[in-house]
Amino acid sequence: MVMGSLKGRDLLSMADLTAEELQELLRLAAQLKSGALSLRCEKILGLLFYKASTRTRVSFTSAMYRLGGQVLDLNPNVTQVSRGEPLEDTARVLDRYIDILAIRTFDQHDLEKFAEYTEIPIINALSDREHPCQVLADLQTIQESFNTLEGITLTYAGDGSNNMAHSLLLGCALAGMNVRIASPVEYQPLESIVQQAKAIAGDRSEVAITTDAIAAVQGSQVVYTDVWASMGQESSAQSRIPIFQPYQVNEQLMAHADKTAIVLHCLPAHRGEEITNGVIEGSQSRVWDQAENRMHAQQALIASLLGVK
Ligand code: CP
Ligand code: NVA
C-alpha cells in the first residue's frame, strides 16, 4: 500500500515531510528493497542536473526503470536552459511533457521557482542548501543497522554549512534522533535551519552544534562525514584542508564513538581528507549499503509523489 498524502507534492527540503510521512517512506523503501512489494508506473521522470552526479543520476534512473517508467536526461548544456531561457518558461513547458522532475542545482531558489510554475512533483536532487534524497537513504541505512531511529545519536563531523549537514539536521530531528554537528566555527550550519531542526525535535531529541569533534562523537552510534569542499567550492579546497583537519573521521576519532557505531558518507569520498582509507574500508563502514539505498528510497519517493498504488 502506498500512502496518498504525498501525491502531487514536491520534496525541496527534508522539512517538507512530516515525521509520519518520513516513517511511511522508509517503510515503503524497506518493502521495495526486500521484494515484499513491487510497484508499477508507466510515467516519465525528467532529470535536470546542473552539477555532476553518479549516485543520484543512476539511482533515480534505475529506480524509475524498475518501476516500469522512463527517464529523460534534460542536460542543461543541450537545452535552451544554457542559453538563458527563463526558468519560469522552461518549468511551464516541461510540466506539459513529463510527470515528475528531479533537479540538481547551485541555487535552492531555482527549485522553488520550478515548484511554483509546475503542477508536477519537483524533487531536490541536491542544492547548495539541502540534499534530502541522500538523507532518506541514510535513515534507511541507520534503521537497518539498529532496527530503530528514535534515540539514536548521529554526529556529523566536517563542513556544517553544507547541504548534507542541513538535511541531516532536519531529517534526524524528524526521525526522533539526536543530531550533533561538529564543525569549525566559520563553517557552522545556517541558524535558520538549526532553529527549524530544534523546533521539529522539541523535547523529544537533541540538536547540538559544536566545534569539538571528539566530545561530539562520544556516545554516538552513527558518525557521518562529507567532503570539505562541495561542488562549486573547488577554488577554496586547499585552504580548507588545515581548517578541517581536526574533523577528519579517522581511527582516533572513531575510538571515542560508541563501540557499535557505524560510519556513513554520502560519497564521493576524498580518502585522506575527511575520512581515512582505513575507516571507509573498515568494519564499521556502511557506505556501500548506504549508496544502494539511494535507489530504494528514491523508488519509494517517486511512487509516493506519483500516487502509485
Ligand atoms: N551522494 C551523491 O549525491 O552522489 P552523486 O553526487 O554521485 O550523485
Ligand atoms: N556536499 C557535497 C555532497 C555531494 C553528494 C556537494 O555538494 O558537493
Side-chain angles (χ1 to χ4, degrees), residues 189-293:
L190 281 174
E191 188 52 30
S192 58
I193 295 203
V194 176
Q195 291 311 323
Q196 210 177 355
K198 284 188 171 164
I200 293 167
D203 51 18
R204 205 160 66 114
S205 63
E206 168 199 356
V207 175
I209 312 299
T210 176
T211 54
D212 188 340
I214 292 176
V217 297
Q218 284 168 16
S220 293
Q221 289 85 39
V222 184
V223 178
Y224 200 115
T225 192
D226 181 18
V227 291
W228 292 339
S230 288
M231 286 180 275
Q233 299 171 336
E234 289 78 6
S235 64
S236 63
Q238 282 307 311
S239 60
R240 285 172 180 244
I241 291 175
I243 300 170
F244 283 105
Q245 197 61 47
Y247 301 88
Q248 184 185 63
V249 175
N250 54 32
E251 290 76 354
Q252 292 73 37
L253 187 69
M254 287 309 298
H256 294 277
D258 200 279
K259 290 280 164 285
T260 63
I262 62 167
V263 173
L264 299 180
H265 189 311
C266 57
L267 305 176
H270 291 80
R271 288 166 168 81
E273 291 187 20
E274 75 277 2
I275 194 161
T276 56
N277 189 58
V279 170
I280 198 168
E281 299 293 349
S283 60
Q284 292 170 291
S285 172
R286 296 288 178 278
V287 301
W288 314 119
D289 291 336
Q290 181 187 6
E292 177 186 334
N293 286 338

Side-chain angles (χ1 to χ4, degrees), residues 12 86-88 91 108-118:
L12 309 189
L87 289 189
E88 294 87 333
Q108 182 81 14
H109 296 110
D110 292 350
L111 290 160
E112 288 160 7
K113 199 164 268 181
F114 265 92
E116 185 185 342
Y117 283 88
T118 53

Side-chain angles (χ1 to χ4, degrees), residues 70-199:
Q70 310 219 30
V71 180
L72 275 181
D73 182 7
L74 305 163
N75 180 349
N77 295 322
V78 296
T79 58
Q80 299 287 7
V81 163
S82 60
R83 296 181 62 247
E85 183 168 10
L87 289 189
E88 294 87 333
D89 296 1
T90 306
R92 282 175 286 187
V93 171
L94 293 180
D95 196 41
R96 309 284 176 112
Y97 298 151
I98 60 180
D99 302 299
I100 184 165
L101 176 60
I103 304 174
R104 173 166 283 207
T105 174
F106 287 93
D107 189 347
Q108 182 81 14
H109 296 110
D110 292 350
L111 290 160
E112 288 160 7
K113 199 164 268 181
F114 265 92
E116 185 185 342
Y117 283 88
T118 53
E119 296 294 324
I120 58 170
I122 302 296
I123 299 172
N124 180 353
L126 182 148
S127 70
D128 53 331
R129 203 177 157 100
E130 278 204 53
H131 196 3
C133 294
Q134 178 67 52
V135 171
L136 292 177
D138 301 342
L139 295 175
Q140 183 178 359
T141 312
I142 298 165
Q143 176 112 42
E144 286 170 355
S145 295
F146 298 104
N147 278 318
T148 184
L149 294 174
E150 209 156 343
I152 297 289
T153 299
L154 177 147
T155 291
Y156 170 97
D159 181 3
S161 66
N162 77 9
N163 39 25
M164 281 314 313
H166 290 152
S167 288
L168 283 167
L169 274 167
L170 297 169
C172 292
L174 272 174
M177 291 171 57
N178 303 310
V179 54
R180 302 173 183 164
I181 307 290
S183 57
V185 72
E186 61 273 50
Y187 291 98
Q188 295 201 334
L190 281 174
E191 188 52 30
S192 58
I193 295 203
V194 176
Q195 291 311 323
Q196 210 177 355
K198 284 188 171 164

